[in-house]
Coordinates of all heavy atoms in Angstrom, one line a residue:
Y20 N 63.1 107.3 89.2 CA 61.8 107.2 88.4 C 61.8 108.3 87.3 O 61.5 108.0 86.1 CB 60.6 107.4 89.3 CG 59.3 107.4 88.6 CD1 58.7 106.2 88.3 CD2 58.7 108.6 88.3 CE1 57.4 106.2 87.6 CE2 57.4 108.6 87.6 CZ 56.8 107.4 87.3 OH 55.6 107.4 86.6
K28 N 61.5 108.3 77.1 CA 61.0 109.2 76.1 C 62.0 109.5 75.0 O 61.6 109.7 73.8 CB 60.6 110.6 76.8 CG 59.3 110.5 77.6 CD 59.0 111.8 78.3 CE 57.7 111.8 79.1 NZ 57.4 113.1 79.7
F58 N 75.9 100.2 102.7 CA 77.2 99.4 102.8 C 77.3 98.3 101.7 O 78.2 97.5 101.8 CB 77.4 98.9 104.2 CG 77.4 99.9 105.3 CD1 76.6 99.8 106.4 CD2 78.3 101.0 105.2 CE1 76.6 100.8 107.4 CE2 78.4 101.9 106.2 CZ 77.5 101.8 107.3
A78 N 73.7 120.5 84.5 CA 74.4 121.1 83.4 C 73.4 121.5 82.3 O 73.4 122.6 81.7 CB 75.4 120.2 82.8
C104 N 70.5 110.3 76.1 CA 70.6 108.8 75.9 C 70.7 108.0 77.2 O 70.4 106.8 77.3 CB 71.8 108.5 75.0 SG 73.4 108.7 75.7
G119 N 88.8 102.6 90.9 CA 88.7 102.3 92.3 C 89.3 100.9 92.6 O 89.9 100.7 93.6
T134 N 109.7 115.4 114.9 CA 110.8 115.8 115.7 C 110.4 116.2 117.1 O 109.2 116.5 117.3 CB 111.6 117.0 115.1 OG1 110.6 118.1 115.0 CG2 112.2 116.7 113.8
T150 N 93.8 96.1 107.2 CA 94.1 95.2 106.1 C 92.8 94.4 105.7 O 92.7 94.0 104.6 CB 95.2 94.2 106.5 OG1 94.8 93.4 107.7 CG2 96.5 94.9 106.8
V176 N 107.0 97.7 114.9 CA 105.8 97.5 114.0 C 104.6 97.6 114.8 O 104.4 96.9 115.8 CB 105.9 96.2 113.2 CG1 104.6 96.0 112.4 CG2 107.1 96.1 112.3
M192 N 92.5 84.3 109.3 CA 92.9 85.1 110.5 C 94.2 84.6 111.0 O 95.1 85.3 111.4 CB 91.7 85.0 111.5 CG 92.0 85.7 112.8 SD 92.8 84.6 114.1 CE 91.5 83.5 114.5
Y209 N 103.5 95.1 117.8 CA 102.5 95.4 118.8 C 101.1 95.6 118.1 O 101.0 96.0 116.9 CB 102.8 96.7 119.5 CG 104.2 96.5 120.3 CD1 105.4 96.8 119.7 CD2 104.2 96.1 121.6 CE1 106.6 96.6 120.3 CE2 105.4 95.9 122.3 CZ 106.6 96.2 121.7 OH 107.7 96.0 122.3
N214 N 87.6 98.1 115.5 CA 86.1 97.8 115.7 C 85.6 96.6 115.0 O 84.5 96.1 115.3 CB 85.3 99.1 115.3 CG 85.5 99.5 113.9 OD1 86.6 99.8 113.5 ND2 84.4 99.5 113.1
G246 N 96.8 99.6 127.9 CA 98.1 99.3 128.7 C 99.2 99.9 127.9 O 99.1 100.6 126.9
T248 N 103.9 99.7 127.3 CA 105.2 99.1 127.5 C 106.2 100.1 127.3 O 106.1 101.1 126.6 CB 105.4 97.9 126.5 OG1 106.6 97.2 126.9 CG2 105.4 98.4 125.1
G260 N 92.2 100.3 124.1 CA 91.1 99.5 123.6 C 90.3 100.3 122.6 O 90.2 101.5 122.7
R270 N 86.2 101.9 127.7 CA 87.6 101.7 127.8 C 88.2 102.7 128.8 O 87.6 103.8 129.1 CB 88.3 101.9 126.5 CG 88.1 103.3 125.9 CD 88.8 103.4 124.5 NE 88.7 104.7 124.0 CZ 89.4 105.1 122.9 NH1 90.2 104.2 122.3 NH2 89.3 106.3 122.4
Q292 N 90.8 104.3 116.3 CA 90.1 105.4 115.8 C 90.8 106.7 116.2 O 91.2 106.9 117.3 CB 88.6 105.4 116.4 CG 87.9 104.1 116.1 CD 86.4 104.2 116.5 OE1 85.8 105.2 116.4 NE2 85.9 103.0 117.0
S309 N 96.8 106.3 114.3 CA 95.5 105.7 114.1 C 95.2 105.3 112.6 O 96.0 105.6 111.7 CB 94.4 106.8 114.5 OG 94.6 107.1 115.9
T312 N 89.6 105.3 109.4 CA 88.8 106.2 108.5 C 88.9 105.7 107.0 O 88.0 106.1 106.2 CB 89.3 107.6 108.5 OG1 90.6 107.7 108.0 CG2 89.3 108.2 109.9
G352 N 84.2 96.5 102.8 CA 82.9 96.4 102.2 C 82.9 96.5 100.7 O 82.5 95.5 100.0
Q369 N 112.8 111.7 115.4 CA 114.1 112.3 115.6 C 114.1 113.3 116.7 O 113.2 114.1 116.8 CB 114.6 112.9 114.3 CG 114.8 112.0 113.1 CD 115.3 112.6 111.8 OE1 115.2 113.9 111.7 NE2 115.7 111.8 110.9

Side-chain angles (χ1 to χ4, degrees):
Y20 177 83
K28 288 181 178 180
F58 298 126
C104 71
T134 59
T150 59
V176 174
M192 179 271 290
Y209 298 88
N214 58 302
T248 186
R270 62 181 184 169
Q292 300 187 40
S309 298
T312 66
Q369 294 181 348

